Amino acid sequence: LREEWWPIVNNTGKIIGSIQHQLSLFDDKKYMHPIVRVMVIDENRLYLQKRSYNDIIFPGMWDTAISNHIRLNENPEACVMRTAKERYGIESIKPIFLSNYIHETEHEFHYVFFYVACYSHSIVPNKNFIDIGKWWTRHQIESNIKDKIFTENFNNEFEIITRSGLLEPGVCNCDCRLKQTIQDGILRLSKLDYSKARK
């Protein structure tokens, strides 16, 4: 009962099976699993976590605040809420879906549910999950991105939200205008090129 099981999905995100997560990571065959990733925004800042050096994927690299595998019989939004509560004690986050994309790692394929969320309160990481977390400005990220300190996923997603205008002043505040910005079609996300994320 304590084992964690992950869905196996196809290229369209349809569930075609399941597997115990440790078996999946160390099996010779690569499976595709659904995951959630959430960019947490406050004006032109992003809250990032530094991945543990013990992580199998991208150890010691900076990454988006919320990233986790969806469990069997769990929907993406429930996974976002569970992860936000477990890792930061946050219960009031309101994720807004942006897109899906596929990303390959050394051990598996990820079918990504990519979200953004506006959150202007203080964030305190749960030390059982995250050692370090902090707010980064757009300028700080752009100044360090060539140093390869960010994960591949983050680099692709940062390009997407930068090109879409989500980090512009006044787009995200806790009125919150973020959802309205997306609904009004300002982002034109359907025209963005996600080919760089499809590795």
Side-chain angles (χ1 to χ4, degrees), residues 41-46 118 137-139 142 158-173 177-178 181 186-188:
I41 301 174
D42 178 27
E43 285 293 340
N44 68 336
R45 302 186 306 164
L46 293 173
C118 179
T137 66
R138 175 178 174 177
H139 175 72
E142 290 174 341
F158 180 70
E159 181 180 351
I160 290 170
I161 64 168
T162 300
R163 290 170 56 194
S164 64
L166 274 174
L167 294 179
E168 297 300 323
V171 169
C172 175
N173 62 26
R177 294 196 192 115
L178 185 60
T181 300
I186 296 175
L187 305 183
R188 302 186 299 277

Side-chain angles (χ1 to χ4, degrees), residues 61 140-150 155:
M61 302 186 78
Q140 288 173 326
I141 294 170
E142 290 174 341
S143 297
N144 287 275
I145 206 159
K146 292 183 179 179
D147 295 332
K148 298 183 178 180
I149 64 172
F150 304 108
N155 288 338

Side-chain angles (χ1 to χ4, degrees), residues 51-141:
R51 298 179 65 89
S52 168
Y53 286 97
N54 295 322
D55 282 352
I56 295 174
I57 300 172
F58 303 127
M61 302 186 78
W62 287 95
D63 197 12
T64 189
I66 297 174
S67 178
N68 204 359
H69 282 80
I70 299 172
R71 293 172 176 171
L72 189 63
N73 299 320
E74 181 180 51
N75 65 46
E77 288 76 17
C79 181
V80 171
M81 299 302 180
R82 170 174 63 85
T83 305
K85 185 174 181 179
E86 284 178 351
R87 300 186 182 181
Y88 304 102
I90 296 174
E91 299 186 12
S92 58
I93 196 165
K94 296 178 181 179
I96 301 171
F97 176 75
L98 288 187
S99 87
N100 296 112
Y101 69 87
I102 294 171
H103 184 265
E104 182 179 3
T105 73
E106 181 181 354
H107 299 279
E108 59 186 324
F109 293 94
H110 289 162
Y111 187 87
V112 181
F113 290 83
F114 179 40
Y115 296 83
V116 293
C118 179
Y119 195 82
S120 60
H121 306 288
S122 63
I123 299 178
V124 180
N126 181 339
K127 294 298 184 180
N128 292 325
F129 293 94
I130 298 169
D131 291 332
I132 303 172
K134 70 173 185 175
W135 289 101
W136 291 67
T137 66
R138 175 178 174 177
H139 175 72
Q140 288 173 326
I141 294 170

Side-chain angles (χ1 to χ4, degrees), residues 29-46:
K29 180 179 178 180
K30 281 187 178 181
Y31 299 95
M32 184 177 296
H33 301 298
I35 69 168
V36 297
R37 292 180 57 80
V38 185
M39 286 281 198
V40 177
I41 301 174
D42 178 27
E43 285 293 340
N44 68 336
R45 302 186 306 164
L46 293 173

